[in-house]
Amino acid sequence: MATRLTTPCSSSSTNFSPSSSFNNEAKLFTRFISMPRKYGLSTWVSHIHSKTHARKHFLLNSSNEHPLNAFSLQDAGLAGNPLAKERIEPPGKERPSIPMSEAEKEESTLSITVVGASGDLANKKIFPALFALFYEDCLPENFTVFGFARTKLTDEELRNMISKTLTCRIDKRENCDDKMDQFLKRCFYQAGQYNSEESFLELDKKLKEKEAGKLSNRLFYLSIPPNIFVDVVRCASHRASSANGWTRVIVEKPFGRDSESSGELTRCLKQYLTEDQIFRIDHYLGKELVENLSVLRFSNLVFEPLWSRNYIRNVQLIFSEDFGTEGRGGYFDNYGIIRDIMQNHLLQILALFAMETPVSLEAEDIRNEKVKVLRSMKPLKLEDVIVGQYKGHGKGGKSYPAYTDDPTVPKDSLTPTFAAAALFINNARWDGIPFLMKAGKALHVKRAEIRVQFRHVPGNLYKRNFGTDLDKATNELVLRVQPDEAIYLKINNKVPGLGMRLDRSDLNLLYRARYPKEIPDAYERLLLDAIEGERRLFIRSDELDAAWALFTPLLRELEEKKIFPELYPYGSRGPVGAHYLAAKHNVRWGDLSGEIYE
Amino acid sequence: MAALSSIHCRSYSYSPFLFSSSSSSINGQQFQRINFSSSGISKRFLPAKLFSQSRKNSYHGVVLMQDGAVAMPVNPVENEASFKKVKDGLLSSITSAEELKETAGFDVNKDESTVIITVVGASGDLAKKKIFPALFALYYEDCLPKHFTVFGYARSKMTDAELRNMVSKTLTCRIDKRENCGEKMDQFLKRCFYDSGQYDSEENFTQLDKKLKEHEGGRLSNRLFYLSIPPNIFIDAVRCASMSASSANGWTRVIVEKPFGRDSESSAALTKALKQYLEEDQIFRIDHYLGKELVENLSVLRFSNLIFEPLWSRQYIRNVQLIFSEDFGTEGRGGYFDHYGIIRDIMQNHLLQILALFAMETPVSLDAEDIRNEKVKVLRSMRPIRLEDVVIGQYKSHIKGGITYPAYTDDKTVPKDSLTPTFAAAALFIDNARWDGVPFLMKAGKALHSKRAEIRVQFRHVPGNLYNRNFGTDLDRATNELVIRVQPDEAIYLKINNKVPGLGMRLDCSNLNLHYAARYSKEIPDAYERLLLDAIEGERRLFIRSDELDAAWSLFTPVLKELEEKKIIPEYYPYGSRGPVGAHYLAARYNVKWGDLGAEQ
């Protein structure tokens, strides 16, 4: 099988972008985007230099509402915001180094500042992901990791804290300790207030020390509560933007809690950043099987004719966790499962699943198609949603708490910890096909999967072998995103033997068996993409708007009408209401069908 | 999953009727027709079957069908009129409706029908290796009627005990059916008897008939003759059996093994001769490949899975490959083979049958006649095979690891100057709307590097593939492929392009697979078990009808004749190799790459 030889850490787009034909502006600039990987390749830098003027001009005419235009601005690194302009001069002094010599190739630097470094996400995901990238040689040679938070810590203390969560992959044990030490030496800490420009100025100083006058690229990862997003962005943008390279900011959910607050947040962010500096992360899009969804669809002929209402009966997007809020319900209670999982993760997967074939694999092309899906969706009606909340449950002598037993949750909270919804896409491909979503906490399993149920065979010759319910004998494609990544296709098969008994067998691909290598964490992929300027897996403003526009009326209605959630026991299969919702649309949940789950 | 809870040993065509009582009127028509053709199977055996089978739950489905069939004679004229073809098969041997009613009234004598299976050529290899063991397996699984007897018939003088001794050596129990194995074997062997005689002597068969009658003890008698003898004595044996050892009041069926002639003429002559003594529906031409589990499953896969439905045509399928290879040569038994060659031995029958099953249109029902009608249509739509679309080979000797492997012509039973192909590859085309232009490639050979039988379906490449650049220059290497491995290690897998997990975007080809050994712990029954049971039950789906045979021969006869007349010299290939390279050039001409010789194997 022919595969392209690429370095293990090239980001998803880099395989393709060099081949783009340079027949228009957008394409031209995508080339720049793919270049930073090469860190200061002379042609790239000189190109920027020579184009600076033109680009600034372009900037004036551009509007952030047109991502393609904004897109073209950013990677000049010269920032599409007024603040950057001030800085265009000083870097000029450093520019004489251009054109760069071979030796100077190494002269660009990358600093990743984790804002909220003492937080949970930072410790569990971000630092380990950065280390994994370092281990795989995916980070540029001159990189620095900065932790930033309010807590006073020394560099040593930060390193000590981080080192506890760093691990090497099972298949990458070699020199693990060595590598860890090398990595930790690149980690530094700066304490400061999130809303203090002075603190960020101080940070800037430190960053500059590390950059030592080289070309500087800066990535800020905001791992902080949403209420201080804007403050941090303001301070970082004003005081700690890169002078001569790029500055990018990764933002984590929640992106607001409805259309208005999200719109407001976007507006505020855009005061200080251009669209293409904002990397809204949805870590589900970084999961291996979600990435593979497009490969599966677009590189296998056998799926091509099947991917429409002609053959697909329904699609199910299922997320479940086998634990509750466990004392951390404070944040969750303000959002609920619909905002926490459905409006972002599941809806993003849905859009990726249902989109038309994009013109290319470029970020803008894909995101354009996704937006089209979101905008084609039928408004959600209250009766197509059911909500649930887990209650206490005693099992095997153990007592599991109710959601409202969580001390951080108000006793009378109506926040759903479970929801199921039927969505429809009013376009030619999907008209009438129910897309069912289900997400819940404190259920019986931990699982995320996509299930595609096909129609039954018209005029099936083997009808009588299936009993009365033909729908139970249809094909089903399952992409199990986690745990135990797998793809399987349920087919009807003859049970070997002298009779003619049919049953359903799986044509399957269990990743663990086929690919013994550990699968990288979603955060690794996304961090690398952000570093390389690959935006495919990040959410564009208009995508976010469309997603909120779909869910906001419903969420408002749920809250205004104080819809009481159906209570379900901790560790159960969720409220039965989900079955009735499915039944209404002639669907049977694939994950609760009595078949043994592998 | 709602699976039909049928009894393991019941043959397929009956299972639908389990639900027929509850099924809607849509099925009424079909139901009636099947009833009728089943009465056409042989009216004499009919009541007998009813008796022997209604006794057991395991024959529940059959009972339902038979009920209908018994009811039929009330207005036989109408039925016969509307199903003339079947009727033709009936008339000569039909018993009167009165008689049917009469026998149907014998309910008290339900247990009084018998089945006797006479293996003609009992001392032969096939009989010992396949037929007796298959009969025993059926017996072990309780698939044989209560009163059954097995007779061995051959020229050698033998006592019953000697036959039993001989048979017992090859009987085995399945791995998962070891319980009481010894006991069951003893019980089975007690039902085995022997009679010696000449194959062309009616007297000897009269003698056999006497013995059979003894065992039948006046009960309703059904007789199945399995002719495991060389083709030159087929007719004699059939004549004698039919004249002197036919059942008087039940059915008489004859299973015939290949070769069914060696070209159109000889095959037609054979059929004509057989039909002097037998009706079409008494002749069961066996092609044991059709009894293989995965060949059986081919139709299930196609017709009960929606996902394959849109794919099954020239629009998505680029080519189909039918591959058969053996890892041994003739090994001193080339005498028979040399007269036929690999094309007649494997292609014209086994591979062509699979091809027809693969390519046929959806039949009206799963009934034998409906399926065979569709198969004949495929065969008749096939483009005549041209000489240049065939590559033949013959294995030569080869020394490997100090061992010398013989050439085909080193076989003492083979003439030194034999040009008989031991390998052949051919490109075939079906000139119909579904398959126009799609090459069906066949390949069959002896003394190759592996033992294998498989069907490979290569799909077209993705038009406008977004991931084109990940595949290098040869897009065809990155297409989907469905592989049905018939033997060994039964499996179905679908090759799909997949992203290699990791941070980059490397694609590779992975398999969505179903490995039978992993999924189904039960041992898969031998093809002969299924086919013998089908013959006993009168199920003809897996047997070859005369017109199918004619069509198959008319496809291959001209090219066979040309090969022989022009004395085409086969391309030599070393014993144990991958066969002559000519096969690759043949494939290349039709833009095909053999799937079994890719680098991934």
Side-chain angles (χ1 to χ4, degrees), chain A residues 432-449:
Chain A
I433 304 304
F435 283 76
L436 264 71
M437 284 184 181
K438 187 165 75 168
K441 283 178 178 290
L443 294 171
H444 70 304
V445 286
K446 179 177 158 63
R447 175 188 300 173
E449 63 187 16

Side-chain angles (χ1 to χ4, degrees), chain B residues 32-43 46 72 76 78-94 279-282 367-370 372-373 540 545:
Chain B
Q32 209 178 23
R33 191 169 40 69
I34 288 170
N35 284 337
F36 194 75
S37 63
S38 69
S39 68
I41 283 165
S42 162
K43 42 266 8 88
L46 213 162
M72 205 69 76
E78 182 191 317
N79 287 319
E80 284 176 16
S82 50
F83 297 102
K84 198 163 188 320
K85 188 173 172 196
V86 179
K87 187 190 68 175
D88 290 346
L90 301 180
L91 280 175
S92 60
S93 58
I94 199 161
E279 296 304 316
E280 172 72 26
D281 59 328
Q282 288 184 286
D367 193 43
E369 298 317 313
D370 287 329
R372 297 195 288 187
N373 286 344
R540 289 166 175 74
R545 211 164 60 183

Side-chain angles (χ1 to χ4, degrees), chain A residues 3 15-16 288 292 299-301 464 475 492-494 497 499 501 503-505 508 511 514-515 525, chain B residues 4 8 19 27 293 297 304-306 470 480 497-499 502 505 507-510 513 519-520 530:
Chain A
T3 51
N15 267 356
F16 313 107
E288 187 60 40
N292 196 28
S299 77
N300 290 292
L301 189 72
R464 292 196 190 75
N475 295 125
N492 293 306
N493 208 51
K494 179 180 168 306
R501 275 182 57 208
D503 76 352
R504 275 220 284 187
S505 292
N508 57 44
Y511 271 53
R514 171 75 172 85
Y515 303 107
R525 186 191 320 280
Chain B
L4 184 71
H8 54 94
F19 297 109
N27 304 313
E293 185 61 37
N297 196 29
S304 76
N305 290 293
L306 186 72
N470 294 49
N480 295 124
N497 293 305
N498 209 51
K499 180 179 166 304
M505 178 57 83
L507 304 195
D508 78 352
C509 191
S510 294
N513 58 44
R519 170 74 173 83
Y520 301 107
R530 188 190 317 281

Side-chain angles (χ1 to χ4, degrees), chain A residues 60-209:
Chain A
L60 297 175
N61 299 327
S62 76
S63 144
N64 287 337
E65 282 138 42
H66 297 290
L68 268 175
N69 289 349
F71 177 61
S72 62
L73 304 174
Q74 168 52 16
D75 264 74
L78 302 177
N81 64 71
L83 291 148
K85 267 194 236 167
E86 302 167 14
R87 291 157 197 262
I88 287 168
E89 307 328 314
K93 280 181 251 162
E94 291 157 26
R95 286 288 168 81
S97 58
I98 293 167
M100 286 175 148
S101 69
E102 272 300 300
E104 278 165 331
K105 271 193 181 179
E106 278 137 42
E107 299 298 300
S108 83
T109 61
L110 169 69
S111 59
I112 300 146
T113 307
V114 181
V115 181
S118 49
D120 221 45
L121 181 77
N123 275 294
K124 279 195 193 150
K125 293 288 185 182
I126 306 172
F127 290 117
L130 285 170
F131 171 63
L133 290 175
F134 172 72
Y135 191 110
E136 302 250 6
D137 276 335
C138 294
L139 294 181
E141 198 178 328
N142 297 316
F143 82 92
T144 318
V145 175
F146 258 86
F148 183 96
R150 281 175 303 195
T151 336
K152 297 259 176 239
L153 285 184
T154 63
D155 291 348
E156 259 333 292
E157 282 168 328
L158 175 85
R159 287 170 192 170
N160 194 30
M161 183 184 82
I162 294 174
S163 68
K164 284 175 195 149
T165 56
L166 297 192
T167 50
C168 283
R169 289 198 194 132
I170 296 152
D171 54 335
K172 302 267 168 143
R173 289 248 173 266
E174 221 177 294
N175 303 325
C176 185
D177 291 343
D178 273 358
K179 285 274 192 179
M180 274 195 201
D181 286 345
Q182 287 167 24
F183 176 76
L184 289 172
K185 276 187 200 144
R186 310 282 198 105
C187 296
F188 303 92
Y189 186 75
Q190 170 71 42
Q193 293 304 308
Y194 294 126
N195 57 2
S196 149
E197 296 203 9
E198 277 141 64
S199 299
F200 276 88
L201 198 58
E202 235 171 282
L203 174 69
D204 183 56
K205 248 180 233 161
K206 284 207 179 177
L207 291 175
K208 278 197 175 125
E209 267 171 43

Side-chain angles (χ1 to χ4, degrees), chain A residues 6 58 62 75 204 232 249 309 321 360 407 467 498 504 512 541:
Chain A
T6 56
F58 190 34
S62 76
D75 264 74
D204 183 56
V232 171
V249 179
R309 62 199 296 277
E321 273 177 354
S360 79
L498 297 170
R504 275 220 284 187
R512 207 172 4 140
S541 300

Side-chain angles (χ1 to χ4, degrees), chain A residues 465 501, chain B residues 2-7 10 18-19:
Chain A
N465 296 44
R501 275 182 57 208
Chain B
L4 184 71
S5 57
S6 70
I7 300 305
R10 230 188 355 78
L18 274 178
F19 297 109

Side-chain angles (χ1 to χ4, degrees), chain B residues 325-375:
Chain B
S325 72
E326 273 178 353
D327 53 1
F328 50 87
T330 51
E331 325 286 332
R333 298 198 201 171
Y336 157 78
F337 182 85
D338 195 65
H339 187 52
Y340 290 91
I342 197 88
I343 297 179
R344 291 185 179 89
D345 201 42
I346 304 291
M347 278 191 172
Q348 180 271 344
N349 38 41
H350 304 323
L351 296 188
L352 190 62
Q353 285 294 323
I354 294 175
L355 182 150
L357 211 50
F358 177 94
M360 70 179 180
E361 298 297 312
T362 311
V364 175
S365 79
L366 296 171
D367 193 43
E369 298 317 313
D370 287 329
I371 290 178
R372 297 195 288 187
N373 286 344
E374 294 305 330
K375 279 168 65 195

